[in-house]
Amino acid sequence: MADHNDLGDIGEQMAADHLLKKGYQILARNYVYLKGEVDIIARIENTIVIVEVKTRSTPDFGDPQDFLKPAQIKRLVETAHHFVEELEEEDLEVRFDIVGIIKNRAGVKVEHLEDAFYHF
């Protein structure tokens, strides 16, 4: 496995740990539907939280969360919609978050952006 894949896996685990510490329940990781994949699907109270994790080893090229493109957002929304439909629960809110992680020799920085974007 390539180093960048290892870093991504480490970042996803760090994001899951961060969410658990904040009281979230992890419902799924790497949930796939058609061509879309959601890194983490979590729940807090009546809110389903769709989490995209962006991990980088350096902030030199911008914040990790700035790398989310419109096409990827569209796939996230479609995949999230499928997941929520399968839950068959009423009165659920859905929120899209980004957890940006920078991990390098200097340490680790975790930034959790709630309501990072609105679905369309």
Side-chain angles (χ1 to χ4, degrees):
M1 187 182 295
D3 287 344
H4 71 277
N5 288 337
D6 291 341
L7 182 62
D9 291 344
I10 291 167
E12 285 183 19
Q13 185 60 53
M14 293 173 78
D17 293 344
H18 170 80
L19 293 167
L20 288 169
K21 286 179 189 172
K22 291 179 72 175
Y24 290 76
Q25 175 188 7
I26 305 298
L27 301 179
R29 291 182 63 177
N30 303 112
Y31 179 81
V32 176
Y33 174 70
L34 298 177
K35 293 183 179 182
E37 179 180 359
V38 175
D39 294 329
I40 299 172
I41 301 176
R43 182 178 188 149
I44 191 156
E45 298 172 3
N46 276 351
T47 302
I48 300 298
V49 184
I50 307 304
V51 182
E52 178 66 14
V53 180
K54 292 295 185 183
T55 308
R56 299 288 184 266
S57 60
T58 177
D60 293 347
F61 302 104
D63 291 328
Q65 60 272 16
D66 293 336
F67 292 92
L68 197 60
K69 304 291 186 238
Q72 187 176 11
I73 291 172
K74 183 179 180 192
R75 284 192 305 274
L76 281 171
V77 171
E78 291 168 351
T79 304
H81 180 73
H82 181 265
F83 181 87
V84 172
E85 277 188 342
E86 294 224 322
L87 285 179
E88 297 181 356
E89 285 187 50
E90 294 182 24
D91 299 323
L92 287 176
E93 298 290 324
V94 177
R95 188 177 82 209
F96 293 86
D97 291 6
I98 297 174
V99 175
I101 297 176
I102 298 174
K103 183 181 184 314
N104 55 32
R105 292 182 189 156
V108 176
K109 177 184 173 188
V110 178
E111 185 176 2
H112 181 182
L113 302 172
E114 295 182 4
D115 277 324
F117 60 88
Y118 295 99
H119 51 92
F120 41 92

